[in-house]
Amino acid sequence: MMKKISNALFLCGVIVVLTACGQEADPAGNLAQTIDYGAGRSGNDGKVDDKEDGETEAPDQENTKEGEGVFSFVYEGATLIPGELVDHSVLPECSDVAEVPSCAFGGNDKVYNFDAFELTAYLDGDEERVYSVYFMDPNLPTTEGLCLGDTVEDMSSLYGEDYEEEGTAFTYTRGETLLVIITKNDIVVSIEYRLDR
């Protein structure tokens, strides 16, 4: 049963990648149906939150690692930065790989399904570079701590209000990287790190 759900989510992610090439799509997608809209931060959902009541954390405007001034996603010790090389040696084993026509580059992109997220990589010569990281697990936090099912208020407290808003989509920009957050009824239903291309 879990394998069927995983494969269904993987296919949804591939559809999202393909629809990002310019076709109109429902911004919330099917993922919105699997999120508990009442959860948010009040239930903490098993996430560690060291802040005391009423205390907010200032957004980290600059990433001080190698990708200073860009968005980066850290997962089990692996750092993924849109535009940077994919280091498969530090990533966990993926459950599935698909090739899809590239939206932003020539040839095909590879979409790696890691169950909690999908990594889309594009070819730069013989090397793979990160194009996007799309979240599929409601318990998976961004580097700064935002999860699917959190509120727009949570998003603003973590990232500030320096975003471009288009309908229910909020896009934050750092250098040539984007953090695209889609909401439905003020609840985060989609999170994607992406190269600005």
Side-chain angles (χ1 to χ4, degrees), residues 121-173:
Y122 67 94
L123 284 178
D124 181 13
D126 292 335
E127 299 178 311
E128 291 183 357
R129 292 187 179 272
V130 176
Y131 176 65
S132 69
V133 176
Y134 179 77
F135 285 42
M136 299 189 323
D137 182 347
N139 296 315
L140 179 68
T142 64
T143 304
E144 294 78 13
L146 188 71
C147 290
L148 297 169
D150 284 348
T151 66
V152 170
E153 185 179 341
D154 295 327
M155 175 193 79
S156 295
S157 72
L158 289 169
Y159 295 103
E161 302 203 11
D162 187 18
Y163 51 72
E164 289 184 29
E165 184 176 355
E166 186 176 327
T168 60
F170 299 86
T171 302
Y172 291 89
T173 304

Coordinates of all heavy atoms in Angstrom, one line a residue, residues 121-173:
A121 N 17.1 17.1 -11.5 CA 18.4 17.5 -11.9 C 18.5 17.7 -13.4 O 17.9 16.9 -14.1 CB 19.4 16.4 -11.4
Y122 N 19.3 18.7 -13.8 CA 19.5 18.9 -15.2 C 21.0 18.6 -15.5 O 21.9 18.6 -14.6 CB 19.1 20.3 -15.6 CG 20.0 21.4 -15.0 CD1 21.1 21.9 -15.7 CD2 19.7 22.0 -13.8 CE1 21.8 23.0 -15.2 CE2 20.4 23.0 -13.3 CZ 21.5 23.5 -14.0 OH 22.3 24.5 -13.4
L123 N 21.2 18.3 -16.8 CA 22.6 18.0 -17.2 C 23.4 19.2 -17.6 O 22.9 20.1 -18.3 CB 22.6 17.0 -18.4 CG 22.3 15.6 -18.1 CD1 22.3 14.7 -19.3 CD2 23.3 15.0 -17.1
D124 N 24.6 19.3 -17.1 CA 25.5 20.4 -17.4 C 26.8 19.7 -17.9 O 27.6 19.3 -17.1 CB 25.8 21.3 -16.2 CG 26.8 22.4 -16.5 OD1 27.0 22.7 -17.7 OD2 27.3 23.1 -15.6
G125 N 26.8 19.4 -19.2 CA 27.9 18.5 -19.7 C 27.6 17.1 -19.3 O 26.5 16.6 -19.5
D126 N 28.6 16.5 -18.6 CA 28.4 15.2 -18.0 C 27.9 15.2 -16.6 O 27.8 14.2 -15.9 CB 29.7 14.4 -18.1 CG 30.1 14.1 -19.6 OD1 29.1 14.0 -20.4 OD2 31.2 13.9 -19.9
E127 N 27.8 16.4 -16.0 CA 27.4 16.5 -14.6 C 26.0 16.9 -14.4 O 25.4 17.6 -15.2 CB 28.3 17.5 -13.9 CG 29.8 17.2 -14.0 CD 30.7 18.2 -13.4 OE1 30.5 19.4 -13.7 OE2 31.6 17.9 -12.5
E128 N 25.4 16.5 -13.3 CA 24.1 16.8 -12.9 C 24.1 18.0 -11.9 O 24.8 18.0 -11.0 CB 23.3 15.6 -12.3 CG 23.1 14.5 -13.2 CD 22.3 13.4 -12.6 OE1 22.0 13.4 -11.4 OE2 21.9 12.4 -13.3
R129 N 23.2 18.9 -12.1 CA 23.0 20.0 -11.2 C 21.5 20.1 -10.8 O 20.6 19.6 -11.4 CB 23.3 21.4 -11.9 CG 24.8 21.5 -12.2 CD 25.2 22.9 -12.8 NE 26.6 22.9 -13.0 CZ 27.5 23.3 -12.1 NH1 27.1 23.6 -10.9 NH2 28.8 23.3 -12.5
V130 N 21.4 20.6 -9.5 CA 20.0 20.7 -8.9 C 19.2 21.7 -9.7 O 19.6 22.9 -9.8 CB 20.1 21.1 -7.4 CG1 18.7 21.2 -6.8 CG2 20.9 20.0 -6.7
Y131 N 18.0 21.3 -10.2 CA 17.1 22.3 -10.7 C 16.0 22.6 -9.7 O 15.8 23.8 -9.4 CB 16.4 21.8 -12.0 CG 15.4 22.7 -12.5 CD1 15.7 24.0 -12.9 CD2 14.0 22.4 -12.5 CE1 14.8 24.9 -13.4 CE2 13.1 23.3 -12.9 CZ 13.5 24.6 -13.4 OH 12.5 25.5 -13.8
S132 N 15.5 21.6 -9.0 CA 14.4 21.8 -8.0 C 14.4 20.7 -7.0 O 14.8 19.6 -7.2 CB 13.1 22.0 -8.7 OG 12.6 20.8 -9.2
V133 N 13.8 21.1 -5.8 CA 13.5 20.1 -4.8 C 12.1 20.4 -4.4 O 11.7 21.5 -4.0 CB 14.4 20.3 -3.5 CG1 14.0 19.4 -2.4 CG2 15.9 20.2 -3.9
Y134 N 11.2 19.4 -4.6 CA 9.8 19.5 -4.4 C 9.4 18.6 -3.2 O 9.6 17.4 -3.2 CB 9.0 19.1 -5.7 CG 7.5 19.1 -5.5 CD1 6.9 20.3 -5.6 CD2 6.8 18.0 -5.3 CE1 5.5 20.4 -5.5 CE2 5.4 18.0 -5.2 CZ 4.8 19.2 -5.3 OH 3.4 19.3 -5.2
F135 N 8.7 19.2 -2.2 CA 8.4 18.5 -1.0 C 7.1 17.6 -1.1 O 6.2 18.1 -1.7 CB 8.1 19.5 0.2 CG 9.4 20.1 0.7 CD1 10.4 20.5 -0.1 CD2 9.5 20.3 2.1 CE1 11.6 21.1 0.5 CE2 10.7 20.8 2.6 CZ 11.7 21.2 1.8
M136 N 7.2 16.4 -0.6 CA 6.0 15.5 -0.7 C 5.6 15.0 0.7 O 4.5 14.5 0.9 CB 6.3 14.3 -1.6 CG 6.7 14.7 -3.0 SD 6.8 13.4 -4.2 CE 7.6 12.1 -3.4
D137 N 6.4 15.2 1.7 CA 6.1 14.7 3.1 C 5.7 15.9 4.0 O 6.5 16.8 4.1 CB 7.4 14.0 3.6 CG 7.2 13.4 5.0 OD1 6.1 13.7 5.7 OD2 8.0 12.6 5.4
P138 N 4.5 15.9 4.5 CA 4.1 17.0 5.4 C 5.0 17.2 6.6 O 5.0 18.2 7.2 CB 2.7 16.6 5.8 CG 2.2 15.6 4.9 CD 3.5 14.9 4.4
N139 N 5.8 16.2 7.0 CA 6.7 16.3 8.2 C 8.1 16.8 7.8 O 8.9 16.9 8.7 CB 6.7 15.0 8.9 CG 5.4 14.6 9.5 OD1 4.7 15.4 10.1 ND2 5.0 13.3 9.3
L140 N 8.3 17.0 6.5 CA 9.7 17.4 6.1 C 9.8 18.9 6.2 O 9.0 19.6 5.5 CB 9.9 16.9 4.6 CG 11.2 17.3 4.0 CD1 12.4 16.6 4.7 CD2 11.2 17.0 2.5
P141 N 10.7 19.4 7.0 CA 10.8 20.9 7.1 C 11.8 21.4 6.1 O 12.8 20.8 5.7 CB 11.3 21.1 8.6 CG 12.1 19.8 8.8 CD 11.5 18.7 8.0
T142 N 11.6 22.7 5.7 CA 12.6 23.4 5.0 C 13.8 23.6 5.9 O 13.7 23.3 7.1 CB 12.1 24.8 4.5 OG1 11.8 25.6 5.6 CG2 10.9 24.6 3.6
T143 N 14.9 24.1 5.4 CA 16.1 24.4 6.2 C 15.7 25.3 7.4 O 16.2 25.2 8.5 CB 17.2 25.0 5.4 OG1 17.5 24.1 4.3 CG2 18.4 25.3 6.2
E144 N 14.8 26.3 7.1 CA 14.4 27.2 8.2 C 13.2 26.7 9.0 O 12.9 27.4 10.0 CB 14.0 28.6 7.5 CG 15.1 29.3 6.9 CD 15.5 28.7 5.5 OE1 14.7 27.9 4.9 OE2 16.6 29.1 5.0
G145 N 12.6 25.6 8.7 CA 11.6 25.0 9.5 C 10.1 25.0 9.1 O 9.2 24.6 9.8
L146 N 9.9 25.4 7.8 CA 8.5 25.4 7.3 C 8.1 24.0 6.8 O 8.9 23.4 6.1 CB 8.4 26.5 6.2 CG 6.9 26.7 5.7 CD1 6.1 27.5 6.8 CD2 7.0 27.5 4.4
C147 N 6.9 23.6 7.1 CA 6.4 22.3 6.6 C 5.1 22.5 5.9 O 4.4 23.5 6.1 CB 6.1 21.4 7.8 SG 7.6 20.8 8.6
L148 N 4.7 21.5 5.0 CA 3.4 21.5 4.4 C 2.4 21.4 5.6 O 2.6 20.7 6.6 CB 3.3 20.2 3.5 CG 4.2 20.2 2.3 CD1 4.2 18.8 1.7 CD2 3.8 21.3 1.3
G149 N 1.3 22.1 5.5 CA 0.3 22.1 6.5 C 0.5 23.3 7.5 O -0.4 23.6 8.3
D150 N 1.6 24.0 7.4 CA 1.8 25.2 8.2 C 1.0 26.3 7.6 O 0.4 26.2 6.6 CB 3.3 25.6 8.3 CG 4.1 24.7 9.2 OD1 3.5 23.9 10.0 OD2 5.4 24.8 9.2
T151 N 0.9 27.5 8.3 CA 0.1 28.6 7.9 C 0.9 29.7 7.2 O 2.2 29.7 7.2 CB -0.6 29.3 9.1 OG1 0.4 29.8 9.9 CG2 -1.4 28.2 9.9
V152 N 0.2 30.6 6.5 CA 0.9 31.7 5.9 C 1.6 32.5 6.9 O 2.7 33.1 6.7 CB -0.1 32.6 5.1 CG1 0.5 33.9 4.6 CG2 -0.7 31.8 3.9
E153 N 1.0 32.6 8.1 CA 1.6 33.4 9.2 C 3.0 32.7 9.6 O 4.0 33.4 9.8 CB 0.7 33.4 10.4 CG 1.2 34.3 11.5 CD 0.2 34.3 12.7 OE1 -1.0 34.0 12.5 OE2 0.7 34.7 13.8
D154 N 3.0 31.4 9.7 CA 4.3 30.7 9.9 C 5.3 31.0 8.9 O 6.5 31.3 9.2 CB 4.1 29.1 9.9 CG 3.2 28.7 11.1 OD1 3.2 29.3 12.2 OD2 2.4 27.7 10.9
M155 N 4.9 31.0 7.6 CA 5.8 31.3 6.5 C 6.3 32.7 6.6 O 7.6 32.9 6.5 CB 5.0 31.2 5.2 CG 5.7 31.6 3.9 SD 4.6 31.9 2.5 CE 4.0 33.5 2.9
S156 N 5.5 33.7 6.9 CA 6.0 35.1 7.1 C 6.9 35.2 8.2 O 7.9 36.0 8.2 CB 4.8 36.0 7.2 OG 4.0 36.0 6.0
S157 N 6.6 34.5 9.3 CA 7.5 34.6 10.5 C 8.9 34.1 10.2 O 9.9 34.5 10.8 CB 6.9 34.0 11.7 OG 6.9 32.6 11.7
L158 N 9.0 33.0 9.3 CA 10.3 32.4 9.0 C 11.0 33.1 7.9 O 12.2 33.3 7.9 CB 10.1 31.0 8.6 CG 9.7 30.0 9.7 CD1 9.3 28.7 9.2 CD2 10.8 29.8 10.7
Y159 N 10.3 33.6 6.9 CA 10.9 34.2 5.7 C 10.7 35.7 5.5 O 11.2 36.3 4.5 CB 10.4 33.4 4.5 CG 10.9 32.0 4.5 CD1 10.0 30.9 4.8 CD2 12.2 31.6 4.2 CE1 10.4 29.6 4.8 CE2 12.6 30.3 4.2 CZ 11.8 29.3 4.5 OH 12.2 28.0 4.6
G160 N 9.8 36.3 6.3 CA 9.5 37.7 6.1 C 8.4 37.9 5.0 O 7.8 37.0 4.6
E161 N 8.3 39.2 4.6 CA 7.2 39.5 3.7 C 7.8 40.0 2.4 O 7.1 40.7 1.6 CB 6.3 40.4 4.3 CG 5.7 39.8 5.6 CD 4.3 40.4 6.0 OE1 3.7 41.2 5.2 OE2 3.9 40.1 7.1
D162 N 9.1 39.8 2.1 CA 9.7 40.2 0.9 C 9.5 39.1 -0.2 O 10.5 38.4 -0.5 CB 11.2 40.5 1.1 CG 11.8 41.1 -0.1 OD1 11.1 41.6 -1.0 OD2 13.1 41.1 -0.2
Y163 N 8.3 39.0 -0.7 CA 8.0 37.9 -1.6 C 7.2 38.5 -2.8 O 6.6 39.6 -2.7 CB 7.2 36.8 -1.0 CG 6.0 37.2 -0.2 CD1 4.9 37.7 -0.8 CD2 6.0 37.2 1.2 CE1 3.8 38.1 -0.1 CE2 4.9 37.5 1.9 CZ 3.8 38.0 1.3 OH 2.7 38.4 2.0
E164 N 7.1 37.8 -3.9 CA 6.2 38.1 -5.0 C 5.0 37.2 -4.8 O 5.1 36.0 -4.6 CB 6.9 37.8 -6.3 CG 8.0 38.8 -6.7 CD 8.5 38.6 -8.1 OE1 7.8 38.1 -9.0 OE2 9.7 38.9 -8.3
E165 N 3.8 37.8 -4.8 CA 2.6 37.1 -4.6 C 1.8 37.0 -5.9 O 1.6 38.0 -6.6 CB 1.7 37.7 -3.6 CG 0.5 37.0 -3.2 CD -0.3 37.6 -2.0 OE1 0.2 38.6 -1.5 OE2 -1.4 37.2 -1.7
E166 N 1.4 35.8 -6.3 CA 0.6 35.6 -7.5 C -0.5 34.7 -7.2 O -0.2 33.5 -7.1 CB 1.5 35.1 -8.7 CG 0.7 35.0 -10.0 CD 1.6 34.6 -11.2 OE1 2.8 35.0 -11.2 OE2 1.1 33.9 -12.0
G167 N -1.7 35.2 -6.9 CA -2.8 34.3 -6.5 C -2.5 33.8 -5.1 O -2.3 34.5 -4.2
T168 N -2.4 32.5 -5.0 CA -2.0 31.8 -3.7 C -0.6 31.3 -3.7 O -0.2 30.6 -2.8 CB -3.0 30.7 -3.4 OG1 -2.8 29.7 -4.5 CG2 -4.4 31.1 -3.4
A169 N 0.2 31.8 -4.6 CA 1.7 31.4 -4.7 C 2.5 32.6 -4.2 O 2.3 33.7 -4.6 CB 2.1 31.0 -6.1
F170 N 3.5 32.2 -3.3 CA 4.4 33.2 -2.8 C 5.8 32.8 -3.2 O 6.2 31.6 -2.9 CB 4.3 33.2 -1.2 CG 3.0 33.6 -0.7 CD1 2.0 32.7 -0.6 CD2 2.7 34.9 -0.4 CE1 0.7 33.0 -0.1 CE2 1.4 35.3 0.1 CZ 0.4 34.3 0.2
T171 N 6.6 33.7 -3.8 CA 7.9 33.4 -4.3 C 8.9 34.3 -3.6 O 8.9 35.5 -3.7 CB 8.0 33.5 -5.8 OG1 7.0 32.7 -6.4 CG2 9.4 33.1 -6.3
Y172 N 9.8 33.6 -2.9 CA 11.0 34.3 -2.3 C 12.2 34.1 -3.2 O 12.4 33.0 -3.7 CB 11.3 33.7 -0.9 CG 10.2 34.0 0.1 CD1 9.1 33.2 0.3 CD2 10.3 35.2 1.0 CE1 8.2 33.4 1.3 CE2 9.3 35.4 1.9 CZ 8.3 34.5 2.1 OH 7.3 34.8 3.0
T173 N 13.0 35.1 -3.3 CA 14.2 35.1 -4.2 C 15.5 35.4 -3.4 O 15.5 36.4 -2.6 CB 14.1 36.1 -5.3 OG1 12.9 35.8 -6.0 CG2 15.2 35.9 -6.3

